[in-house]
Amino acid sequence: MNDISPIEHPEPGVWTQVADTSEVRAQPRTGEPFALAVKANIAVRGFRRSAGCRGLDLGPEEADAPVVAALREAGAVVVGVTNMHELAFGITSNNAAFGPVRHPADPTRAAGGSSGGSAVAVARGDVPVAVGTDTGGSVTIPASLCGVVGFRPTTGRWPGAGLVGLSWTRDTPGLFARAVEEIQRLDTAIAAGHDAGVPVSRPRLGIPAELVQELDPATAAAFTTTLDRWGDAVETVDLELGRALDLTRAAEMAIVLWESHRLLADVAARALGRPPQEAFERLVDSVASPDVRAVLEAELAHPVTAQEYARAQGEVARARTLYTNLLAEHGLDGLVFPGTPAPAPLLGEDETVEHLGGQVSTFGLYTRNTGQGTMLGAPMLTLPAPVPAGGLPVGITLQGPRFADRALLALGRALEEVLAP
């Protein structure tokens, strides 16, 4: 059954619960056990699914989420539950209830979020693989900031039950690892029978103009270095996402606020034994992180209307069609761009951050490049870029056609090898 009993709070910040790992191999190998960390909003038998919120930190789960069960079948032994941005509603993992998740290279900086603990556990070498979830970039962002490989599959391709989520339109589990090969193997275990993933000899990748503008100089330099290293191994095409990007941005908040209200109310109702709306209000009262509480209180005060939500649904459908047509029109195997426009922010910069000489929204800046792909439901694979010694990590994201996940992973593995020192 691959069960290990949890031990309480060994290191505030990265973990919420861990277990004795002495009998578990460090490296994932077919048929052999390997250590796995799981984000705190995913059900793991015997561990508490707090979602980083004391209001849900009530008792051990009776059963695994399907994605965890599939990974156990592949040999995973869950050795701990990782900290996160409270209720997954943010991108720094500066959690007021369980402590901030600190950057693995610079403890004065944030690890990114909301799956920050899972990314740091892999970056530090605590585990070879960790599970996160992604709504608006919660795998891509911490993978980029912490210098590990991150994979967000096509929305709906992996089972999403057993999660404390925010959006059925956008949510998906995802993985962090040290190399694409590890993710390829585990993707086969989770999504058996899906696309074959035939490698492309010389991929054709689009560079969206909107996602390479106003980059931090270190990020811009790392992106240029990556493209230079790839050289003739890829063909790049400059393009604009245009109307597809406009539609995703217009729909983002209405989709998440409508859907998160209902998903969180349902989870709270079952956890607290109260009617959904009353349970949701109690959950909001229990939130410790000021930025998360402000969002939820705003939703209570000014809920998204059914008309606004219906309009947003239509915008998502149109954007997905435009994205598919754009890739076909240019003959593209995918897109390539920096996962975030800047390296890791300082801890405490939850509301605003200095960028290119001015103060900008932290959430807006770090989700600028990821939001569109999560609304499109597209697969996204993030690779660590070459950076100077002592420099903060920068991630390069490959975004593929919907449900072409294995082809994207094969492409990423080939390009990862080109970047290897």
Side-chain angles (χ1 to χ4, degrees):
M1 294 289 288
N2 289 351
D3 281 322
I4 297 182
S5 298
I7 302 171
E8 297 303 307
H9 309 295
E11 181 184 346
V14 175
W15 302 88
T16 61
Q17 290 181 285
V18 298
D20 180 9
T21 65
S22 60
E23 299 300 319
V24 184
R25 284 188 177 273
Q27 293 295 334
R29 298 176 184 174
T30 303
E32 297 185 7
F34 63 93
L36 178 76
V38 180
K39 187 178 179 182
N41 65 337
I42 302 173
V44 180
R45 184 178 58 247
F47 289 80
R48 296 196 302 274
R49 187 182 62 166
S50 67
C53 179
R54 293 295 186 189
L56 295 178
D57 192 29
L58 301 176
E61 293 292 314
E62 295 180 346
D64 290 328
V67 69
V68 174
L71 290 167
R72 285 196 200 268
E73 285 297 310
V77 179
V78 179
V79 300
V81 175
T82 55
N83 198 8
M84 56 184 283
H85 207 105
E86 192 165 3
L87 295 177
F89 242 131
I91 57 84
T92 64
S93 295
N94 187 13
N95 187 310
F98 288 89
V101 182
R102 297 180 182 275
H103 193 277
D106 182 349
T108 69
R109 295 184 180 272
S114 62
S115 308
S118 290
V120 172
V122 172
R124 298 195 318 184
D126 296 348
V127 292
V129 182
V131 188
T133 64
D134 192 305
T135 303
S138 290
V139 168
T140 302
I141 293 166
S144 296
L145 301 187
C146 294
V148 297
V149 176
F151 177 55
R152 175 210 155 86
T154 298
T155 303
R157 185 171 171 272
W158 287 8
L163 311 183
V164 177
L166 297 178
S167 169
W168 53 81
T169 297
R170 305 171 76 180
D171 284 343
T172 179
L175 286 179
F176 299 93
R178 298 170 187 155
V180 177
E181 180 181 8
E182 295 169 358
I183 292 177
Q184 285 181 300
R185 183 178 74 82
L186 296 177
D187 177 73
T188 300
I190 297 167
H194 279 265
D195 52 283
V198 178
V200 177
S201 58
R202 186 168 184 257
R204 185 175 166 89
L205 300 175
I207 302 176
E210 301 96 333
L211 307 188
V212 294
Q213 295 174 353
E214 299 183 347
L215 300 176
D216 180 273
T219 301
F223 185 57
T224 299
T225 299
T226 299
L227 296 180
D228 289 344
R229 288 271 191 96
W230 286 342
D232 292 337
V234 299
E235 179 184 358
T236 59
V237 178
D238 294 328
L239 52 77
E240 293 183 355
L241 294 176
R243 182 62 174 157
L245 180 61
D246 293 340
L247 288 169
T248 61
R249 287 178 173 169
E252 276 189 83
M253 290 312 295
I255 289 287
V256 167
L257 292 178
W258 172 280
E259 294 177 356
S260 65
H261 190 146
R262 285 148 182 82
L263 288 170
L264 293 176
D266 180 62
V267 168
R270 285 185 280 113
L272 303 176
R274 294 288 188 271
Q277 185 60 22
E278 178 187 340
F280 181 75
E281 292 172 1
R282 289 195 177 199
L283 178 64
V284 173
D285 286 341
S286 76
V287 170
S289 303
D291 58 329
V292 179
R293 188 172 183 134
V295 172
L296 296 176
E297 287 178 341
E299 165 56 20
L300 279 173
H302 305 286
V304 174
T305 67
Q307 293 77 13
E308 290 169 333
Y309 180 62
R311 181 168 60 250
Q313 286 179 307
E315 289 166 340
V316 171
R318 290 193 294 276
R320 291 181 175 183
T321 298
L322 288 170
Y323 176 65
T324 299
N325 293 342
L326 181 70
L327 295 180
E329 176 188 347
H330 291 277
L332 299 176
D333 299 294
L335 306 178
V336 60
F337 49 86
T340 60
L346 293 169
L347 272 175
E349 292 182 322
D350 298 301
E351 298 295 334
T352 64
V353 61
E354 184 177 343
H355 180 63
L356 302 181
Q359 289 291 315
V360 300
S361 162
T362 305
F363 184 87
L365 178 67
Y366 285 92
T367 62
R368 192 192 78 185
N369 286 7
T370 58
Q372 52 80 31
T374 68
M375 292 293 288
L376 296 169
M380 304 169 78
L381 177 67
T382 300
L383 308 175
V387 295
L392 289 169
V394 173
I396 305 302
T397 297
L398 301 167
Q399 180 175 307
R402 282 164 50 81
F403 295 103
D405 297 53
R406 296 224 171 117
L408 182 69
L409 289 170
L411 167 60
R413 183 172 177 181
L415 296 179
E416 177 187 58
E417 292 174 357
V418 177
L419 293 178

